[in-house]
Amino acid sequence: MPEFLQFAFMRHAFAATTVIALMGALVGYFVVLRRQAFASHALSNIGFAGAAGASLIGADPMLGLLAFVIGAALVMALAGREMGERDISVGMILMFSLGLGALFINLYSANANAAIGILFGSVFGIDADQIRWIIVVSLVLLGALAAIFRPLRFASLNPEAARARGIPVRAIDTLFLLLVGAAAAVAVPVIGSLLSFAIFIGPAAAAQAWCPRVGAGLVLTAGLALTQSLGGLVLSYYANLPASSCIGALSFGCYALSRLTRRLA
Amino acid sequence: MPNVADNTTVPAVEARDIAAGKGSDPAFSALSFRIEPGSFTALVGPNGAGKTTLFESILGLIAPHSGELRVLGDKPCRMRRQTAYVPQAAGIAHDDALIGREFVCAACNAHRLGVALPRARRRAREAVNAALDTVGARDLAERRLSTLSGGQRQRLLIAQALVEQPRLILLDEPLSQLDPAARDWIVTVARRLTERGIAVIFSTHDINPVLGACDRVLYLAQGRGRIGSVDEIICERTLSELYATPMRVIRDSGRRFVFEGGQSRALAEAG
């Protein structure tokens, strides 16, 4: 066993990161395919306000996070459908939530460290109970994604034809946003709400630049996400740097490389 | 499922005295027509005449206010799996990352839940290849969509509509924003589909590119509609009745141009 796995906190971090990286990246593949990166980032940030609000009233921050993210996903699904309008309504919902988050933090001045943990992740603080929770939710989300895979793929690539074929495109859109919201919520302890792009967008965007097929692209996305996330943990352990900084840097490096090689190709 | 045995005799679409529209005001009324399997119908008319409304009615997305509309012998919403709608190529912008084959494949068994098993995947690959061959786009199978022209994308859209073997295909302005060579290609492909017994309804604001290919013209204007051969419809008598104002039709080197009232203002290029 490598030296860093002798510690329980490292084993927990590895287990949680493995599950979150796989689940987050596979959900993220469709986020990138559907050009909903901004909505996914916003949902992840909105969770911060929910967690801060839950702390304020003495509830579990995870529940507050989930409640806010799912509420925001529903509002986004009902709001603007047009591409340009969609970005504006998502941004306004994000802004309003961050304002609430600032208010909650201001009222709950006792512990600013908790807020830092939500914003930037606290992967080395995850305990066995949280891991069980993360695994169960991730499996449910992956199951849901697999269940709607074919209608989601058609509705993402050609929504008008899908609607004409009788596929409930609006319901699929809403379901997918809820899925993204729940995935973002469960990933917060690992990567933090500000750095969700590292897992949700980076690997999928790099994979789509390199691989133009859905099946192989999903496999490559999962592989990249695992390599970057676990590599980030190991790097963080040896270099004594924050884990999310290392994962984020690797994700950025990989994405930059994918753009560069596509440009040269 | 009704009418499987007599595919060739059941009309692809049969409208009896229908009125339809999005709000309470119908876009057209008292519209009756019959579209046979394996026929090529050009759906022509000015903007706002109800071409889109008619497509949505045939797809069962909106219900006619009155009258009876049957698709392949049944209610429109029950025939969606056998009816394919091909939107305009400009409408697909989210898929630059994928190659043509993956785009076409997305329609395979798209109504089913779960991921495809190996056997279904093999069948899907065969269906995709056959559809690509039909539209002459086998060479686009491995190319990224972002590198394709409008006409090439349009061909992939038609291929995608074919993978589930529809009996009726609705093409929504497939010629818009295409150059003449690409237009000819799309018309040829659409004509080829009719040889397999597929009924094609081809909406276009310009009749000229489909003059040689279409069997019938369904012309919508001013809330009214007429169906017939090109000569029966694109003539001064019928168009004057439709528009309720004197219309002129000028023929020049095989093309037809439509004008209002003998004055120089062109309504549209024969449309």
Side-chain angles (χ1 to χ4, degrees):
Chain A
M1 185 160 54
E3 181 204 307
F4 54 83
L5 283 185
Q6 284 164 3
F7 303 103
F9 79 90
M10 273 307 273
R11 286 199 297 275
H12 291 161
F14 257 74
T17 306
T18 302
V19 175
I20 291 300
L22 278 177
M23 184 275 294
L26 294 179
V27 172
Y29 184 87
F30 286 94
V31 173
V32 174
L33 197 66
R34 296 165 63 85
R35 299 279 188 271
Q36 286 186 311
F38 182 48
S40 127
H41 179 68
L43 283 172
S44 179
N45 286 3
I46 285 163
F48 158 75
S55 303
L56 181 65
I57 58 169
D60 185 346
M62 213 53 209
L63 287 180
L65 206 151
L66 209 54
F68 258 59
V69 163
I70 286 177
L74 281 177
V75 176
M76 280 180 197
L78 296 174
R81 327 274 317 156
E82 303 290 320
M83 197 54 188
E85 182 58 36
R86 197 174 67 187
D87 272 4
I88 292 171
S89 56
V90 166
M92 291 304 286
I93 296 165
L94 170 62
M95 179 277 296
F96 179 61
S97 305
L98 290 180
L100 279 180
L103 173 70
F104 296 152
I105 293 275
N106 184 269
L107 293 173
Y108 180 74
S109 49
N111 190 353
N113 276 343
I116 300 284
I118 294 164
L119 287 174
F120 296 102
S122 52
V123 69
F124 294 127
I126 291 175
D127 59 31
D129 270 352
Q130 273 179 295
I131 291 178
R132 268 192 288 278
W133 205 79
I134 285 173
I135 290 176
V136 169
V137 175
S138 296
L139 284 178
V140 169
L141 295 180
L142 280 179
L145 187 67
I148 61 168
F149 173 74
R150 285 187 275 189
L152 176 66
R153 179 178 58 172
F154 194 24
S156 302
L157 294 181
N158 196 344
E160 284 185 76
R163 181 165 157 262
R165 261 274 286 288
I167 289 169
V169 172
R170 274 201 85 150
I172 296 263
D173 285 352
T174 308
L175 197 61
F176 182 69
L177 267 182
L178 284 173
L179 225 148
V180 173
V186 74
V188 159
V190 170
I191 192 67
S193 67
L194 286 183
L195 279 83
S196 67
F197 255 54
I199 282 176
F200 283 84
I201 306 300
Q208 285 183 20
W210 279 322
C211 177
R213 290 163 202 276
V214 176
L218 282 166
V219 172
L220 183 59
T221 302
L224 287 175
L226 271 185
T227 314
Q228 291 161 14
S229 307
L230 300 182
L233 282 188
V234 175
L235 188 66
S236 145
Y237 176 82
Y238 284 111
N240 200 18
L241 294 169
S244 39
S245 309
C246 294
I247 298 173
L250 288 179
S251 179
F252 179 81
C254 184
Y255 172 72
L257 192 65
S258 77
R259 298 319 299 175
L260 208 64
T261 50
R262 282 287 297 157
R263 181 88 32 109
L264 296 176
Chain B
M1 205 187 308
N3 306 318
V4 170
D6 51 353
N7 274 358
T8 48
T9 53
V10 176
V13 184
E14 191 170 25
R16 278 197 213 122
D17 203 24
I18 61 166
K22 284 206 184 90
S24 51
D25 274 347
F28 50 76
S29 52
L31 183 63
S32 297
F33 63 88
R34 205 179 136 104
I35 286 172
E36 302 298 338
S39 68
F40 187 128
T41 306
L43 175 59
V44 192
N47 285 337
K51 287 178 287 187
T52 306
T53 301
L54 182 58
F55 273 174
E56 289 182 335
S57 309
I58 292 172
L59 291 165
L61 295 171
I62 59 174
H65 297 165
S66 61
E68 194 189 13
L69 180 64
R70 294 184 87 73
V71 173
L72 299 161
D74 208 330
K75 285 183 181 154
C77 59
R78 287 167 68 171
M79 283 295 150
R80 281 180 184 155
R81 299 252 172 84
Q82 302 188 46
T83 306
Y85 170 73
V86 180
Q88 296 181 25
I92 54 161
H94 300 300
D95 38 76
D96 294 350
L98 299 180
I99 51 175
R101 174 185 300 285
E102 291 286 333
F103 179 74
V104 173
C105 186
C108 294
N109 288 312
H111 55 280
R112 282 176 199 264
L113 294 181
V115 288
L117 299 173
R119 206 160 139 216
R121 221 173 294 165
R122 232 184 351 264
R123 269 206 304 273
R125 200 176 313 133
E126 284 161 18
V128 168
N129 284 339
L132 286 168
D133 285 339
T134 304
V135 302
R138 196 64 177 263
D139 56 325
L140 308 178
E142 307 299 325
R143 287 183 53 190
R144 282 185 192 253
L145 272 100
S146 53
T147 66
L148 302 183
S149 69
Q152 289 169 325
R153 281 168 169 246
Q154 192 66 52
R155 268 191 275 162
L156 287 179
L157 277 165
I158 298 174
Q160 193 189 52
L162 288 174
V163 290
E164 293 284 286
Q165 303 186 326
R167 288 157 61 192
L168 167 65
I169 286 194
L170 313 180
L171 293 153
D172 194 352
E173 296 275 358
L175 304 183
S176 69
Q177 296 170 19
L178 296 190
D179 60 58
R183 286 181 178 198
D184 288 348
W185 242 113
I186 297 298
V187 173
T188 306
V189 165
R191 185 71 229 176
R192 205 181 288 166
L193 302 183
T194 62
E195 287 157 16
R196 311 182 165 199
I198 301 173
V200 172
I201 308 181
F202 193 112
S203 87
T204 173
H205 62 271
D206 178 5
I207 187 76
N208 286 311
V210 296
L211 274 180
C214 71
D215 301 308
R216 311 238 278 162
V217 177
L218 175 53
Y219 202 112
L220 295 180
Q222 311 277 332
R224 289 180 283 266
R226 284 291 161 76
I227 194 165
S229 68
V230 173
D231 287 331
E232 285 164 353
I233 302 297
I234 310 296
C235 66
E236 294 182 352
R237 210 178 62 131
T238 307
L239 292 182
S240 300
E241 274 174 32
L242 265 175
Y243 283 100
T245 182
M247 301 293 288
R248 282 194 61 200
V249 175
I250 293 174
R251 297 187 187 208
D252 179 56
S253 51
R255 290 159 61 88
R256 292 172 198 229
F257 301 92
V258 178
F259 299 94
E260 190 182 348
Q263 289 159 31
S264 58
R265 188 161 78 85
L267 272 180
E269 215 183 338

